Coordinates of all heavy atoms in Angstrom, one line a residue:
G8 N -2.9 -4.3 -12.6 CA -4.3 -4.7 -12.8 C -5.3 -4.0 -11.9 O -6.5 -4.2 -12.1
Y9 N -4.8 -3.2 -11.0 CA -5.8 -2.4 -10.2 C -6.1 -1.1 -10.9 O -5.3 -0.3 -11.1 CB -5.1 -2.1 -8.8 CG -6.0 -1.4 -7.9 CD1 -7.1 -2.0 -7.2 CD2 -5.8 0.0 -7.6 CE1 -7.9 -1.4 -6.4 CE2 -6.7 0.6 -6.7 CZ -7.7 0.0 -6.1 OH -8.5 0.6 -5.2
E10 N -7.4 -1.0 -11.2 CA -7.9 0.2 -11.9 C -8.5 1.2 -10.9 O -9.6 1.1 -10.4 CB -9.0 -0.2 -12.9 CG -8.4 -1.1 -14.0 CD -9.5 -1.5 -15.0 OE1 -10.7 -1.1 -14.8 OE2 -9.2 -2.2 -15.9
F11 N -7.7 2.2 -10.5 CA -8.1 3.2 -9.5 C -8.7 4.4 -10.3 O -8.4 4.6 -11.5 CB -6.9 3.6 -8.6 CG -5.8 4.3 -9.4 CD1 -5.8 5.7 -9.5 CD2 -4.8 3.6 -10.0 CE1 -4.8 6.3 -10.2 CE2 -3.8 4.2 -10.7 CZ -3.8 5.6 -10.8
D12 N -9.5 5.2 -9.6 CA -10.1 6.4 -10.1 C -9.3 7.6 -9.8 O -9.1 8.5 -10.7 CB -11.5 6.5 -9.6 CG -12.4 5.3 -10.0 OD1 -12.4 4.9 -11.1 OD2 -13.1 4.8 -9.1
E13 N -8.8 7.7 -8.6 CA -8.0 8.8 -8.2 C -7.1 8.4 -7.1 O -7.3 7.3 -6.5 CB -8.8 10.0 -7.7 CG -9.7 9.8 -6.5 CD -10.4 11.0 -6.0 OE1 -9.9 12.1 -6.2 OE2 -11.5 10.8 -5.5
G14 N -6.1 9.2 -6.7 CA -5.2 8.8 -5.7 C -4.4 9.9 -5.2 O -4.5 11.1 -5.6
S15 N -3.4 9.6 -4.3 CA -2.5 10.6 -3.7 C -1.2 10.0 -3.5 O -1.1 8.8 -3.1 CB -3.1 11.2 -2.4 OG -4.4 11.7 -2.5
V16 N -0.2 10.8 -3.8 CA 1.2 10.4 -3.5 C 1.6 11.2 -2.2 O 1.7 12.4 -2.2 CB 2.2 10.8 -4.6 CG1 3.6 10.4 -4.3 CG2 1.7 10.1 -5.9
I17 N 1.9 10.5 -1.1 CA 2.2 11.1 0.2 C 3.7 11.0 0.4 O 4.3 9.9 0.3 CB 1.5 10.4 1.3 CG1 -0.1 10.5 1.0 CG2 1.8 11.0 2.6 CD1 -0.9 9.7 2.0
Y18 N 4.3 12.1 0.6 CA 5.8 12.2 0.8 C 6.2 13.3 1.7 O 5.3 14.0 2.2 CB 6.4 12.5 -0.6 CG 6.0 13.8 -1.2 CD1 6.9 14.9 -1.1 CD2 4.8 14.0 -1.8 CE1 6.6 16.2 -1.5 CE2 4.4 15.3 -2.2 CZ 5.3 16.3 -2.1 OH 5.0 17.6 -2.6
N19 N 7.5 13.4 2.1 CA 8.0 14.4 2.9 C 8.6 15.5 2.1 O 9.6 15.3 1.4 CB 9.0 13.9 3.9 CG 8.4 13.0 5.0 OD1 7.4 13.4 5.6 ND2 9.0 11.8 5.1
R20 N 8.0 16.7 2.1 CA 8.5 17.8 1.3 C 9.6 18.6 2.1 O 9.4 19.0 3.3 CB 7.4 18.8 1.0 CG 7.8 20.0 0.2 CD 6.6 20.7 -0.4 NE 5.7 21.1 0.6 CZ 5.8 22.3 1.3 NH1 6.8 23.1 1.0 NH2 4.9 22.6 2.2
F21 N 10.7 18.7 1.5 CA 11.9 19.4 2.2 C 11.6 20.9 2.3 O 11.2 21.5 1.3 CB 13.1 19.1 1.3 CG 14.4 19.8 1.9 CD1 15.0 19.4 3.0 CD2 14.8 21.0 1.2 CE1 16.1 20.1 3.5 CE2 15.9 21.6 1.7 CZ 16.6 21.2 2.8
R22 N 11.9 21.4 3.5 CA 11.7 22.8 3.7 C 13.0 23.5 4.1 O 13.4 24.5 3.6 CB 10.7 23.1 4.8 CG 9.3 22.5 4.5 CD 8.3 22.7 5.6 NE 8.0 24.1 5.9 CZ 7.2 24.5 6.9 NH1 6.6 23.5 7.6 NH2 6.9 25.7 7.1
S23 N 13.8 22.9 5.0 CA 15.1 23.4 5.4 C 15.9 22.2 6.0 O 15.4 21.1 6.1 CB 15.0 24.6 6.4 OG 14.4 24.1 7.7
V24 N 17.1 22.5 6.5 CA 17.9 21.5 7.1 C 17.2 20.8 8.3 O 17.4 19.6 8.5 CB 19.3 22.0 7.4 CG1 20.2 20.9 8.0 CG2 19.9 22.7 6.3
I25 N 16.5 21.6 9.0 CA 15.9 21.0 10.3 C 14.4 20.9 10.2 O 13.7 20.7 11.2 CB 16.3 21.9 11.5 CG1 15.8 23.4 11.2 CG2 17.8 21.9 11.7 CD1 16.0 24.3 12.4
S26 N 13.8 21.1 9.0 CA 12.4 21.1 8.8 C 11.9 20.4 7.6 O 12.6 20.5 6.5 CB 11.9 22.5 8.9 OG 10.5 22.6 8.7
Y27 N 10.9 19.7 7.7 CA 10.2 19.0 6.5 C 8.7 18.9 6.8 O 8.3 19.1 8.0 CB 10.8 17.7 6.2 CG 10.6 16.7 7.3 CD1 9.4 15.9 7.4 CD2 11.5 16.5 8.3 CE1 9.3 15.0 8.4 CE2 11.4 15.6 9.3 CZ 10.2 14.8 9.4 OH 10.1 13.9 10.4
K28 N 7.9 18.7 5.8 CA 6.5 18.7 6.0 C 5.9 17.5 5.2 O 6.3 17.4 4.0 CB 5.8 20.0 5.6 CG 4.3 20.0 5.7 CD 3.7 21.3 5.2 CE 2.2 21.3 5.4 NZ 1.6 22.6 4.9
T29 N 5.1 16.8 5.8 CA 4.4 15.7 5.1 C 3.3 16.2 4.1 O 2.4 16.9 4.6 CB 3.8 14.7 6.0 OG1 4.8 14.2 6.9 CG2 3.2 13.5 5.3
D30 N 3.5 16.0 2.9 CA 2.6 16.6 1.9 C 2.1 15.5 0.9 O 2.5 14.4 1.0 CB 3.3 17.7 1.1 CG 2.4 18.7 0.4 OD1 1.2 18.5 0.5 OD2 2.9 19.7 -0.2
E31 N 1.2 15.9 0.1 CA 0.6 14.9 -0.9 C 0.3 15.6 -2.2 O 0.0 16.8 -2.3 CB -0.6 14.2 -0.3 CG -1.8 15.1 0.0 CD -3.0 14.3 0.5 OE1 -2.9 13.9 1.7 OE2 -3.9 14.1 -0.2
K32 N 0.4 14.8 -3.3 CA 0.1 15.3 -4.6 C -1.0 14.4 -5.2 O -0.9 13.2 -5.0 CB 1.3 15.3 -5.5 CG 2.4 16.2 -5.1 CD 2.0 17.7 -5.2 CE 3.1 18.6 -4.9 NZ 2.7 20.1 -4.9
P33 N -1.9 14.9 -6.0 CA -3.0 14.1 -6.6 C -2.6 13.4 -7.8 O -1.7 13.8 -8.6 CB -4.1 15.1 -6.9 CG -3.3 16.4 -7.2 CD -2.1 16.4 -6.3
I34 N -3.1 12.2 -8.0 CA -3.0 11.5 -9.3 C -4.4 11.0 -9.7 O -5.3 10.8 -8.9 CB -2.0 10.3 -9.2 CG1 -2.5 9.4 -8.0 CG2 -0.6 10.8 -8.9 CD1 -1.6 8.1 -7.9
F35 N -4.5 10.8 -11.0 CA -5.8 10.4 -11.6 C -5.6 9.3 -12.6 O -4.5 9.3 -13.2 CB -6.6 11.6 -12.2 CG -6.9 12.7 -11.2 CD1 -6.0 13.8 -11.2 CD2 -8.0 12.7 -10.4 CE1 -6.3 14.9 -10.3 CE2 -8.2 13.7 -9.5 CZ -7.4 14.8 -9.5
S36 N -6.6 8.5 -12.8 CA -6.5 7.5 -13.8 C -6.8 8.1 -15.2 O -7.2 9.2 -15.3 CB -7.6 6.4 -13.5 OG -8.9 6.9 -13.6
L37 N -6.5 7.3 -16.2 CA -6.7 7.7 -17.6 C -8.2 8.0 -17.8 O -8.5 9.0 -18.5 CB -6.2 6.7 -18.5 CG -6.4 7.0 -20.0 CD1 -5.6 8.3 -20.4 CD2 -5.9 5.8 -20.9
E38 N -9.1 7.2 -17.3 CA -10.5 7.4 -17.5 C -11.0 8.7 -16.9 O -11.8 9.4 -17.4 CB -11.3 6.2 -17.0 CG -11.1 4.9 -17.8 CD -9.8 4.2 -17.6 OE1 -9.0 4.7 -16.6 OE2 -9.4 3.3 -18.3
T39 N -10.5 9.0 -15.7 CA -10.9 10.2 -15.0 C -10.4 11.4 -15.7 O -11.2 12.4 -15.9 CB -10.3 10.2 -13.6 OG1 -10.7 9.0 -12.9 CG2 -10.8 11.4 -12.8
V40 N -9.2 11.4 -16.3 CA -8.7 12.5 -17.0 C -9.4 12.7 -18.3 O -9.8 13.8 -18.7 CB -7.2 12.4 -17.3 CG1 -6.6 13.5 -18.2 CG2 -6.4 12.3 -16.0
A41 N -9.7 11.6 -19.0 CA -10.4 11.7 -20.3 C -11.8 12.1 -20.1 O -12.4 12.7 -21.0 CB -10.3 10.3 -21.0
G42 N -12.4 11.8 -19.0 CA -13.8 12.2 -18.8 C -14.0 13.6 -18.2 O -15.2 13.9 -17.9
S43 N -12.9 14.3 -18.0 CA -13.1 15.7 -17.5 C -13.7 16.6 -18.5 O -13.4 16.6 -19.7 CB -11.7 16.2 -17.1 OG -11.8 17.5 -16.6
E44 N -14.6 17.4 -18.0 CA -15.4 18.4 -18.9 C -14.4 19.5 -19.4 O -14.6 20.0 -20.5 CB -16.6 18.9 -18.2 CG -17.6 17.9 -17.8 CD -18.8 18.5 -17.1 OE1 -18.7 19.7 -16.8 OE2 -19.7 17.7 -16.8
S45 N -13.5 19.9 -18.5 CA -12.6 21.0 -18.9 C -11.5 20.6 -19.8 O -10.7 21.5 -20.2 CB -12.1 21.6 -17.6 OG -13.1 22.1 -16.8
L46 N -11.4 19.4 -20.2 CA -10.3 18.9 -21.0 C -10.5 19.4 -22.5 O -9.5 19.4 -23.2 CB -10.2 17.4 -21.0 CG -8.9 16.8 -21.6 CD1 -7.7 17.2 -20.8 CD2 -9.0 15.3 -21.7
S47 N -11.6 19.9 -22.8 CA -11.9 20.4 -24.1 C -11.2 21.7 -24.5 O -11.1 22.0 -25.7 CB -13.4 20.6 -24.3 OG -13.9 21.6 -23.4

């Protein structure tokens, strides 16, 4: 029931056996994607 406009998925990206990096990926709501001008 929560209608967000945009967001981020924050996770640990694997780099090597002894190394990782905290990274994030974007997410968007259906309304934000549908309202994009470049979607045409």
Side-chain angles (χ1 to χ4, degrees):
Y9 182 73
E10 298 180 356
F11 64 96
D12 300 312
E13 62 176 330
S15 303
V16 180
I17 300 174
Y18 65 99
N19 289 310
R20 179 168 58 86
F21 175 76
R22 300 175 66 181
S23 66
V24 182
I25 58 175
S26 176
Y27 62 89
K28 181 182 179 182
T29 303
D30 203 354
E31 61 180 78
K32 295 294 183 183
I34 57 174
F35 300 97
S36 64
L37 178 61
E38 289 74 12
T39 303
V40 175
S43 177
E44 298 178 356
S45 301
L46 194 64
S47 58

